[in-house]
Amino acid sequence: MIAGNQLPILFAALLFTACNFSFKGNTGNDTVSETWDEAKPLQEIYKNYFLMGNIISPSDLNTMRFDLLKRHYNTVTAENHMKPSYMAPSANPASDNWAYRFSEADRIVSAALDAGMKVVGHTLIWHSQSPAWLTTGNKETVLANLEKYVSEVAGHFAGKLIAWDVVNEAMRDGLTSADANGSWRNCLRLTDSGWNRAIGPEYIERAFLAARAADPHVKLYYNDYNLNNPNKARAVFNMVRDINERYPHAGGRPLIDGIGMQSHHHIKTNPQTVETSINLFSSLQVEISITELDILAAGKLLEGNPPWNNGAAQQQADQYAAMFRIFKAYASDITRVTFWGIDDGTHWRTLDGNGGHGTLLNKDYSLKPAFFSVTNP
Ligand code: XIL
């Protein structure tokens, strides 16, 4: 029993604790009270909800970055080294033996598996980071290239991966609701997709069929960005529903296993739009994964090029918290949440000059407020 005159003291103590906690993370200048190797592992915090992932590069192997990955994440995705431009940068299409470059990806996969982590394949068929030779030629040639590429690359990694992003970013930007409610085939990018130009919309299902045949157990995903946009979400919904209705028993199950919501967000993204799309996709009875999460809080990609400071760090923390409250609420629909970047220093938006400080860790690996809102949203 607390005596009445002790209440103000208790209240002051609680207030002190709360304030102290909110100053734990920082933007780089304050003293850090907890380090990444002391903080409770994110993967442990979320073990009853979904897998926790981040990206990996060959240069991370045998460094503290690998230790960091191993502590906080149970799943890795190669940031670049399993993309077509790395797998098959040049080849002689006339030859049956294409010059695949598997060695870097193999190092990543075996190091991750040895460390007890799961690995996601990213990505087989994409309009970007893919060599032009793959999509050069008439329909017959390019379709043969697609089937050969998918079956040989998925075949190479067969049995080692939990999922493949089979097709990445096939939908074009700027879809209207009329587009989205029409045929999904007319929503696909065309001028900037060598695959669609040469083969037509059928390239999508052909890629999934080849992947299913090459590795029957790996989960096959369609992956895209801005899936919180209702029109893009509707187009993807229509495509996945149609393909799965036409291929309900591809190797014993519907052809497309999952939808990957990349989730490159910023502090002004409306979390409600994310929830609406998760709801929509869950009605398809497919897996949903958050595949490339980052939340920009500053920089050129945001209106007015806002600076990175304590206010931005707090807004970012609030946004991460809002997203994770939704992910937790929909945990039964969400298989995995993968971040696209370990720290701000090596984040792709830092390296491409846009900035934004999108990750959970400062470039010196100290924990940002965003880290603590993920641990406790
Ligand atoms: C990015 C990488 O992070 C960069 O290093 C690379 O220069 C460009 O690609 N959508 C995707 C990812 O599916 O593969 C992209 O990764 C980010 C956007």
Side-chain angles (χ1 to χ4, degrees):
M1 169 106 176
I2 299 166
N5 61 359
Q6 283 183 295
L7 273 175
I9 299 169
L10 183 69
F11 182 69
L14 282 172
L15 192 67
F16 176 79
T17 314
C19 293
N20 201 30
F21 182 76
S22 70
F23 282 107
K24 262 188 167 178
N26 66 56
T27 59
N29 303 320
D30 310 336
T31 314
V32 187
S33 52
E34 196 176 19
T35 57
W36 66 263
D37 51 344
E38 295 161 354
K40 185 164 182 191
L42 297 178
Q43 56 160 314
E44 217 170 286
I45 296 173
Y46 284 95
K47 68 170 188 288
N48 296 326
Y49 295 88
F50 30 70
L51 296 169
M52 287 293 262
N54 211 317
I55 48 175
I56 187 169
S57 292
S59 57
D60 297 331
L61 302 178
N62 306 310
T63 71
M64 59 69 70
R65 289 170 63 85
F66 192 76
D67 298 332
L68 193 161
L69 284 170
K70 217 162 61 176
R71 179 177 181 86
H72 288 286
Y73 304 97
N74 43 31
T75 310
V76 289
T77 304
E79 181 174 16
N80 285 302
H81 286 77
M82 290 169 87
K83 292 172 179 175
S85 55
Y86 274 83
M87 296 278 99
S90 60
N92 174 8
S95 146
D96 276 349
N97 292 315
W98 290 0
Y100 291 112
R101 250 189 358 187
F102 287 130
S103 61
E104 298 286 72
D106 284 346
R107 285 175 61 218
I108 289 176
V109 172
S110 60
L113 294 179
D114 287 350
M117 291 187 273
K118 300 177 195 303
V119 185
V120 174
H122 174 79
T123 175
L124 292 168
I125 297 298
W126 192 17
H127 66 284
S128 180
Q129 290 185 275
S130 296
W133 70 265
L134 265 181
T135 54
T136 303
N138 61 21
K139 176 172 178 172
E140 194 190 358
T141 305
V142 177
L143 186 54
N145 283 353
L146 175 139
E147 291 182 332
K148 181 173 164 68
Y149 180 81
V150 171
S151 64
E152 292 183 349
V153 174
H156 177 83
F157 295 101
K160 297 184 172 164
L161 311 179
I162 56 163
W164 259 115
D165 293 333
V166 178
V167 177
N168 197 30
E169 303 182 353
M171 294 297 169
R172 67 188 149 80
D173 293 312
L175 295 172
T176 64
S177 68
D179 294 331
N181 289 308
S183 168
W184 61 265
R185 294 176 173 83
N186 297 329
C187 297
L188 298 175
R189 8 173 130 248
L190 181 57
T191 51
D192 56 347
S193 166
W195 297 113
N196 195 16
R197 275 200 317 268
I199 301 172
E202 147 193 21
Y203 87 89
I204 308 258
E205 62 211 67
R206 291 301 194 110
F208 278 93
L209 286 165
R212 175 61 44 83
D215 188 353
H217 299 298
V218 72
K219 295 290 168 73
L220 304 182
Y221 270 71
Y222 175 75
N223 194 52
D224 212 329
Y225 60 89
N226 286 357
L227 291 189
N228 59 317
N229 173 298
N231 297 333
K232 207 165 177 184
R234 176 60 58 182
V236 168
F237 173 91
N238 288 341
M239 176 181 76
V240 172
R241 186 177 56 182
D242 173 52
I243 292 179
N244 280 353
E245 274 171 8
R246 285 187 293 113
Y247 300 97
H249 305 297
R253 64 188 197 273
L255 184 55
I256 300 180
D257 293 302
I259 296 175
M261 303 176 71
Q262 290 188 3
S263 311
H264 295 293
H265 294 310
H266 54 85
I267 48 177
K268 301 281 191 235
T269 304
N270 179 357
Q272 181 60 55
T273 60
V274 173
E275 181 171 357
T276 302
S277 289
I278 292 174
N279 256 312
L280 178 69
F281 296 147
S282 69
S283 69
L284 287 168
Q285 311 291 324
V286 293
E287 284 189 3
I288 299 170
S289 285
I290 306 300
T291 53
E292 307 185 11
L293 179 62
D294 50 21
I295 298 179
L296 303 182
K300 293 181 202 163
L301 295 176
L302 272 63
E303 207 183 313
N305 193 4
W308 173 245
N309 53 29
N310 285 317
Q314 193 52 55
Q315 276 182 282
Q316 178 182 54
D318 294 345
Q319 184 71 308
Y320 267 111
M323 294 294 173
F324 270 83
R325 284 196 295 269
I326 293 170
F327 301 158
K328 284 179 84 167
Y330 288 85
S332 58
D333 298 309
I334 296 177
T335 301
R336 164 175 56 97
V337 175
T338 291
F339 293 86
W340 205 253
I342 296 175
D343 68 292
D344 286 351
T346 59
H347 186 231
W348 66 303
R349 290 309 196 186
T350 303
L351 299 180
D352 77 6
N354 283 305
H357 295 260
T359 77
L360 304 183
L361 271 62
N362 290 302
K363 66 172 188 232
D364 63 0
Y365 300 101
S366 57
L367 308 178
K368 293 164 60 180
F371 183 92
F372 295 99
S373 43
V374 173
T375 61
N376 184 17

